[in-house]
Amino acid sequence: MTEYGSFPGSRPRRLRVNPAMRRMVAETRPHPADLILPAFVREGISEPVPIATMPGVVQHTLDTLRKAAAEAVAAGVAGIMLFGVPEEARKDAAGTAGTDPDGILQAGIRAVKAEVGDDLVIMSDLCLDEYTDHGHCGVLDAAGRVDNDATLERYAEMAQVQADAGVHVVGPSGMMDGQVGVVRDALDQTGHEDVSILAYTAKYSSAFYGPFREAVGSSLRGDRKTYQQDPANAREALRELALDLAEGADMVMVKPALPYLDILARIADEADVPVAAYQISGEYAMVEAAAEKGWIDRDAAILETLTGIKRAGASMILTYWATEAAVKLRR
């Protein structure tokens, strides 16, 4: 005789029996509209330059940047985050190429705007590190330290020229105290009230930035530990969040993503604005390198990482796989 009610009475595996069932009950669904494509545009090149540490990623010419933007739109990607790479000879202590209205980043913004208009949210990195001959995110004082308040003046100038070029969103990424408020004031005072700010709220001093420094031709000497957050600290991120929101941030971000999913979850719980996470160069490079050796399933790993970031609370994800992943997610 059959005995009913015997263990196990509950069988969660019933909801995993086949792909259709798993798809129906999935709690987290990455979508192309969640994705933002970071892209590098380099001055003085006639062909795109591959980035050795980031297979599949290049430093774009203006023409190939336009093509990448159009492809992102076709795939359903939400936005593009632009980084400028000036010629080495144009770098100086104050990063003046970054505030040149005809500088490479401003040229990139105008090129993308001309190509896709408002079909893609055009974002720009608002920082000096690509343009300084010392590679730091701000100007230095007489002792060689990053001068927070002098740097804010430069950020205000950058905000204006990027907005004049047609950007939709600026991303102040230098982790200077007060940067969001200064940028907001600069935008409002120059007639750019509609330009949004994506605050790099919790940007940690990470070992995973290495490939990015090749991507932007960084001239960094030393490190950025005096202004980027200490990986040991979590509560500090909430303090940064409160400050950025009070200063007028429209969106906030955690960077890197995967090593800081706990921070992402805490900020997502606290913030009343959209929350982004940046899947940075080192995260990308690890997956690509392991996949190239046959150690992991590349496509499955990409989707799993994006799902994990969204599950932790990100409403937007900056990822170098944005266009490729968007195409896969639409299938």
Side-chain angles (χ1 to χ4, degrees), residues 205-212 256 258-260 280-286:
S205 178
S206 172
F208 292 94
Y209 294 133
F212 179 88
L258 292 176
Y260 297 93
I280 67 169
S281 59
E283 299 173 60
Y284 175 93
M286 287 193 302

Side-chain angles (χ1 to χ4, degrees), residues 61-116:
T61 67
L62 290 173
D63 286 340
T64 63
L65 179 64
R66 290 187 189 97
K67 181 180 178 183
E71 289 172 348
V73 170
V77 170
I80 187 168
M81 174 64 81
L82 300 177
F83 297 86
V85 185
E87 293 182 313
E88 196 69 25
R90 297 199 61 193
K91 295 182 181 182
D92 58 27
T96 53
T99 50
D100 179 353
D102 297 318
I104 185 60
L105 179 54
Q106 285 67 253
I109 293 168
R110 288 192 293 269
V112 173
K113 186 80 170 181
E115 183 70 29
V116 300

Side-chain angles (χ1 to χ4, degrees), residues 24-42:
M24 184 179 74
V25 302
E27 299 172 27
T28 305
R29 301 177 191 272
H31 187 275
D34 301 330
L35 306 179
I36 298 165
L37 175 68
F40 307 99
V41 57
R42 178 172 168 180

Side-chain angles (χ1 to χ4, degrees), residues 30-40 68-69 72-73 75-83 120-125 169-171 197-200 251-254 274-280 284 306 309 314-326 329:
H31 187 275
D34 301 330
L35 306 179
I36 298 165
L37 175 68
F40 307 99
V73 170
V77 170
I80 187 168
M81 174 64 81
L82 300 177
F83 297 86
L120 194 64
V121 178
I122 304 170
M123 304 177 170
S124 55
D125 179 57
V169 180
V170 295
I197 297 175
L198 170 58
Y200 282 59
M251 299 168 274
V252 296
M253 183 157 68
V254 175
V275 177
Y278 196 146
Q279 187 177 50
I280 67 169
Y284 175 93
L306 295 175
I309 295 166
S315 44
M316 301 172 292
I317 304 171
L318 286 81
T319 175
Y320 299 99
W321 289 304
T323 301
E324 177 186 352
L329 289 170

